[in-house]
Amino acid sequence: SVQYAHYTSEPVIRSIWDGLTRLGFNGGKIVEPGAGIGLFAVAAPPSVMAGSSYTGIELDAFSAKIGQYLLPQEHMLAADFIKQKLPDGFFDAAIGNPPFADIKVLDDPAYKKHRFSLHDYFFAKSIDKVRPGGLLVFVTSRYTMDKLNSKARDYIADRADLLGAIRLPQTAFKENAGTEVITDVLFFQRRMPDAAPGGESWLGLKEISVGNEKVFINEFFARHPEMVLGKHATTGSMYRQNEYTVEPTGNIEGQFANAINFLPENLYTEAVTKGVEAAQAKTWEADMRPAS
């Protein structure tokens, strides 16, 4: 799994949790697809985990086994997220750093027709599993926001509002994952039934000047330069020369913590679960068992 196992640093994880608590999340049913060894749950605020039930889903059996030892009271499943069945609209929050790769997911009948790339599939399926009013916060490659084809963005925008996004420089994952890519942390809220779309505009791209070059980036980052933790450049990456990138300009963890302050506050509301829905939730939780 090394090709896709890009682990997130603890300071960034803690800042992401700071973002969730700023949005008003203080506990609930949490799912993490592509959970690795469960670092997002391990590094979560104890007060949040005390009021939460956590379900991690990890394809690599060895990583999942480590997660089971680290989180013995939680549901850490050694399972393929593509094949794992989960109830729609069940979880209060989805969080994590799902794998990203330019491969099409065609093994899930519910999403096959969309031909989503791997990371876009994780977004689509996860947002469908979060209840209206719930939150999704994922680390992803910049192409979720920047690619010319807006199919995945359209799918998410039909269901959720973008609350904010933070762009990290290409060196953010160099120490933890041995990779140099631009990554974004995206904060979404699942839209309530019959509610009008809200949040930030993010479906389109905008041309910006970088030195003598012109590049296209997501309209959100063009409109909110304070959410880009570095400077735009065209110096290239570990994969290609002379392509758009973001170079670091300081301490990433400190800049990330500061960017969290630009997110809206207290938008999350507690779920009201009654009658049949409560019974279904209880049955589902009783069926969840840590993988052996």
Side-chain angles (χ1 to χ4, degrees), residues 61-84:
F62 190 74
S63 297
K65 180 63 72 174
I66 295 174
Q68 291 165 17
Y69 281 109
L70 291 174
L71 301 160
Q73 305 303 316
E74 308 298 343
H75 305 303
M76 191 71 187
L77 307 180
D80 184 346
F81 182 62
I82 295 173
K83 299 176 181 178
Q84 180 70 37

